Structure formats: structure tokens, C-alpha cells
Amino acid sequence: MTIPLRIGVIGVDHNHIYGMVNGLLAAGATLAGWATGPETPEKTIQVFADSYPQAPRLSAEQILEDESIAMVLTAAINSDRAGIAILAMQHGKDVLVDKPGCTTLEQLAAIRRTVEETGRHWTVCFSERLTVESVTLADRLVSQGRIGKVVQTVGLGPHRRNTALRPAWFWDRARFGGILTDICAHQFDQFLHFTGSTEARVVTAHVGNVANPDRPGFQDFGEVVLEGDGGRGYARVDWLTPDGLPTWGDGRMTLLGTEGYIELRKYVDIAGRPGQDHVFLVDGKGVEHFQAAGAGTPFFARLIEDVENRSETAMPQAHAFLATELALTAQMIAEKDLRP
């Protein structure tokens, strides 16, 4: 009988940590302990402690020095994630990091060097693909050839700002990373995945502040055009979701194929169908609607196998690097246009 994978958490500052931990626990892992950063609010700490009473709160050093822990998860403050990941890999552990995996190209270069030096895996949890059942179903439909070859993706990532709930670092560009680095990371990941691109470039990128004049340094809108060796892509992200929407954002992904197209309405169908994970397919035979609940999210089981077998079935290392590099490059290009 295989010993369950033991995981440790360093940094719980973003709620994505729950999806990361729960996904691995459901796939058979064991949470060995967790640690927080010095700025983590007490309420955030208490909620995490109450969610996993079986796991002790430890120091980051205790987790790093525990040789029985094979993987470290982090959803720390965005700009702190690279340092945590590098330390974990230097201590012989694989890493699963919430997006964005880092906030500067210099951090990414340091992560690349550490991966090469240690042989550890650095995987980014792009939750809008990896934890969404409608994406699992879309993968299946694409692999069946239902829409031919995917030639373009259009990804929309609107988010609700929830101003009163945001910590101070959320409004700090240097710590948050910018809108394209952060929430558009999902769109870069999905573009590469669905077009099968292993090489890509940013054609154009833009960021702006269209609705938050009281926070002049904040970016609430961003868009990008991408070109890859497998297709093209467009992405738009924003912090403009109105309060009337019954969820945090109307996330959508359209896959244009040579013989049809698929649209994913991941979190809500504003036409009125209940639930989430709605998939619409249009081809030469007509229009179909699928409810993807039950399609599963195989990423976490594959990730555990990759740790054990030193394989890359859940996410190729090159994919994690390229998706992150595109996000950081797009942010840099967009901000050059803002300079006087």
C-alpha cells in the first residue's frame, strides 16, 4: 500500500488555498501541518485552523525541515510566493503555488534556476482550468474532435472587487503584481492548454483604471492579444462585476475550432439555467447544452502521481513557466504604455 503524500502549507493569505488543499486531500494526500506569514490576519488564521483541525499549526522552518513532507503549497501574499517556493525546493520538496506563481521576471528566473538545480517540480494552480468541471468536459469534447482543431481562445475573467474585504497588500501594485500578472494568469494558462501552444508571444496588452478614481494606482481592467504556435488568443479581465450577479464573476471561455465552437459558462448561466459548469457546443449538426457536474477534476490525482513517479502528467514544467512568463511580459508591455 502506497504511503499517502504528506503536504505542508506555508501561506494562507488567499482563499484559493482551500481548493488546493481540498483537491489534494480528496485525491489521497495528508495535510501534515501549516504555517502563515507575519501579516496574515487573525481571522484568516482562525478560519484555516477550524477548517483543518487535524493538522497542527507549525512554523515555516518546521515544515521545510520535515523530510516526510514531500510537497509545499502556498497561497501567501503574491510577491512572497517565489521566495517560499524556492526555499521549499531547496529543501527537497515539490511545490504547488497559487497563481500568480511570482510577480516579476527576476523572480521567475530565480525559480527556473532552482528547478534546474534541485530537480523539483514547480506547479501553478490555475484554478479556473484545473478545478472546474466544465473544463474537464470541454477537454473531452475537444479530444473527441467535436469542433475540429482549436485555433483561438477568448477568455473573459470578470471579478467582483469586494473592496471592504481586501487586505492592504491587494492595493499595492508591487505586492499584488498587477491585473494581468494576477487574474489574467488563468487566461494565459487556458490559451496554451487549448491551442496546444508550446511557444507564444504577447501581441499587445493594455491595463487601465476605469472605475476607481479614488485608487489611482489600481488596475481594474486589462486585455491581451496572444499568438502561439498552435493558435491565437484574446483575454479580458476586470474588477467590475456588478453586485447584482449572484456569484463573484461570470467567467467564460470560448474555444473556436475549425468545425465548430464551445463556450464554457463556468460559474453562472445568466440566461437562467440553475447551477454552474454549463457547456455549449455548436457544430454542423446543431447546438447542444451540457451540464458538466460530475465530470471531475483529475489534476490533483495526476499531481500526486507526478510527485511519486517524477513525471509531468498534471502540468508540464515548461507550461507553468511559459504561462507565467506571458503574464509577466504582458503586464510589463501594458505598463510601458502608461508611462508619460
Side-chain angles (χ1 to χ4, degrees):
M1 181 176 179
T2 304
I3 298 174
L5 178 76
R6 285 172 57 83
I7 62 175
V9 172
I10 303 177
V12 300
D13 296 274
H14 196 293
N15 282 341
H16 283 166
I17 193 63
Y18 293 98
M20 296 159 65
V21 172
N22 292 343
L24 285 168
L25 295 183
T30 298
L31 180 58
W34 56 280
T36 68
E39 298 179 50
T40 307
E42 190 58 40
K43 182 178 180 181
T44 301
I45 293 171
Q46 191 59 54
V47 170
F48 193 87
D50 292 344
S51 299
Y52 307 103
Q54 77 279 15
R57 183 181 179 186
L58 306 171
S59 68
E61 291 73 18
Q62 286 175 304
I63 291 173
L64 293 172
E65 296 296 337
D66 187 339
E67 295 183 359
S68 74
I69 294 176
M71 174 176 283
V72 165
L73 283 58
T74 182
I77 295 170
N78 295 3
S79 57
D80 295 343
R81 295 173 185 175
I84 293 169
I86 288 170
L87 277 174
M89 288 187 285
Q90 290 173 340
H91 282 79
K93 305 180 191 309
D94 292 318
V95 174
L96 178 64
V97 58
D98 182 24
K99 65 80 219 160
C102 57
T103 54
T104 69
L105 287 168
E106 291 76 17
Q107 287 182 345
L108 180 60
I111 291 168
R112 286 181 184 270
R113 289 194 298 271
T114 306
V115 168
E116 183 175 351
E117 292 166 358
T118 64
R120 297 294 96 190
H121 291 162
W122 180 78
T123 305
V124 182
C125 188
F126 298 108
S127 57
E128 290 188 22
R129 175 170 68 92
L130 302 173
T131 68
V132 175
E133 291 186 301
S134 55
V135 177
T136 303
L137 177 58
D139 273 336
R140 191 177 305 153
L141 295 170
V142 170
S143 67
Q144 292 170 354
R146 292 291 304 273
I147 62 169
K149 182 188 183 306
V150 176
V151 295
Q152 190 211 30
T153 64
V154 175
L156 306 181
H159 286 59
R160 180 172 286 124
R161 190 174 58 250
N162 287 328
T163 300
L165 302 178
R166 299 295 180 179
W169 62 265
F170 175 82
W171 309 103
D172 184 338
R173 162 64 183 85
R175 308 189 79 190
F176 183 67
I179 192 170
L180 298 182
T181 294
D182 184 57
I183 59 177
C184 204
H186 295 296
Q187 313 307 325
F188 296 107
D189 163 68
Q190 291 170 93
F191 158 73
L192 293 175
H193 174 75
F194 282 114
T195 65
S197 294
T198 57
E199 298 179 5
R201 72 182 184 95
V202 177
V203 178
T204 185
H206 170 79
V207 296
N209 183 334
V210 299
N212 291 271
D214 57 323
R215 297 184 183 275
F218 184 60
Q219 299 165 4
D220 58 19
F221 179 89
E223 61 181 350
V224 183
V225 175
L226 298 161
E227 180 181 58
D229 56 355
R232 295 179 67 87
Y234 171 79
R236 189 210 80 210
V237 291
D238 63 73
W239 290 104
L240 304 175
T241 292
D243 291 340
L245 192 75
T247 187
W248 56 266
D250 184 11
R252 310 184 197 182
M253 172 61 63
T254 299
L255 312 176
L256 176 64
T258 54
E259 300 176 25
Y261 65 90
I262 293 172
E263 182 179 3
L264 289 72
R265 302 296 293 265
K266 298 180 180 181
Y267 309 112
V268 63
D269 177 13
I270 59 174
R273 291 180 178 88
Q276 56 186 28
D277 285 308
H278 298 274
V279 177
F280 301 88
L281 184 148
V282 183
D283 63 8
K285 298 179 181 179
V287 179
E288 289 185 71
H289 166 259
F290 302 86
Q291 170 51 252
T297 52
F299 167 76
F300 294 101
R302 292 173 181 168
L303 185 61
I304 290 176
E305 292 177 358
D306 288 341
V307 173
E308 296 174 346
N309 302 328
R310 309 316 299 162
S311 51
E312 297 184 5
T313 62
M315 178 181 295
Q317 184 63 80
H319 175 100
F321 284 151
L322 181 55
T324 303
E325 180 181 353
L326 288 170
L328 295 169
T329 301
Q331 186 72 46
M332 181 178 64
I333 290 172
E335 290 183 343
K336 281 184 178 179
D337 291 339
L338 295 178
R339 297 172 188 169

